[in-house]
Amino acid sequence: MTNFFINSPLEQFEVLPFISVNAPIFGNFNLSLTNLGFYTIIVTFLVLGLHIIANNSYKLIPSKWSIALESAYASVQGMVRDQIGANNEIYTPFIYSLFFFIIIANLNGNIPYGFTVTTSVIVSIGLSVMIFIGVTTLGLRIHGLHFFSYFIPSGTPLILVPMLVLIELISYMARAVSLGVRLFANMVAGHTLLKILSTFLYKLFTSSILVAVFTLIPFGIFVALIGLELAVSVIQAYVFCVLTCSYIKDAINLH
């Protein structure tokens, strides 16, 4: 019986070594460059290269790239103002860098045979954990021990304080993973669905001419799903940054 799958739809998320160097003289020393590391470097260079190309410092008339990036910066700056406040625009460069890294990583992963950096648990959860640590450190630096009043809602009866503190603490600690899990799960689910559908469509297109003609209808739906996945790539970058701004705001204002 012919297998409908060319390979596992989850195979695209495997972290595999591209280049591996062994040095027996140093024991079991091994240095490897994986596809995750390779595409992370590509994403970094794409972000830097995009901003170098769009640099408008020496031109009187801005280019289309420059206008696009200025619009993106204005959008991120507006996000920071709305979420954190106009007095805290110092966080705009961080949110802007975070937004472009995630959106370029997501879009780059939609290229056939590419690797989506944000489908790696290490990257997605690592980003959310580091943001969580940074936000907590920020809150402690600004408020000191008063930061722990965040876990006790105002007006709480004394008898309910232990239970509510535990609930608030668990809810707060969940931020360390929920931010990354949301990004990871959405990107993995979308890419897995596209892989499964593309495999079935390939089998249908190569079966017979009559079946291939009728397959054009589901193929149109598949193309629409690709557009939806591109939109999800942008939306997830935006949502990640909005929630990061919300966490920073909570650390500053203790809401």
Side-chain angles (χ1 to χ4, degrees), residues 9 42 45 90 115 120 145 153 160 202 236:
I42 289 179
F45 275 99
I90 188 176
F115 184 85
S120 171
L145 294 178
L160 296 178
Y202 173 79
Q236 286 305 311

Side-chain angles (χ1 to χ4, degrees), residues 69-219:
L69 285 185
E70 287 177 3
S71 300
Y73 181 83
S75 299
V76 173
Q77 188 179 37
M79 179 200 307
V80 173
R81 285 182 177 179
D82 295 338
Q83 296 294 325
I84 309 178
N87 296 327
N88 297 305
E89 291 187 19
I90 188 176
Y91 303 104
T92 301
F94 168 68
I95 300 298
Y96 181 80
S97 302
L98 185 66
F99 174 77
F100 261 91
F101 176 82
I102 296 175
I103 194 173
I104 295 297
N106 290 348
L107 293 176
N108 185 56
N110 287 285
I111 299 174
Y113 301 102
F115 184 85
T116 311
V117 173
T118 48
T119 58
S120 171
V121 177
I122 297 298
V123 174
S124 299
I125 303 298
L127 279 175
S128 64
V129 169
M130 293 308 296
I131 290 172
F132 171 79
I133 294 174
V135 167
T136 304
T137 304
L138 176 66
L140 289 171
R141 185 180 68 84
I142 294 175
H143 303 285
L145 294 178
H146 182 64
F147 174 75
F148 294 101
S149 65
Y150 178 84
F151 304 105
I152 306 176
S154 59
T156 303
L158 186 60
I159 192 173
L160 296 178
V161 167
M163 182 178 66
L164 287 180
V165 166
L166 180 61
I167 294 174
E168 290 291 336
L169 182 60
I170 294 174
S171 175
Y172 184 78
M173 296 294 292
R175 294 180 174 184
V177 294
S178 63
L179 194 61
V181 167
R182 182 182 292 103
L183 175 63
F184 163 79
N186 279 280
M187 298 309 300
V188 167
H191 282 56
T192 302
L193 176 61
L194 291 181
K195 179 64 175 179
I196 294 173
L197 292 178
S198 63
T199 303
F200 275 110
L201 288 174
Y202 173 79
K203 289 294 182 180
L204 292 174
F205 272 123
T206 56
S207 58
S208 67
I209 297 178
L210 182 62
V211 174
V213 172
F214 285 103
T215 307
L216 291 175
I217 298 175
F219 178 74

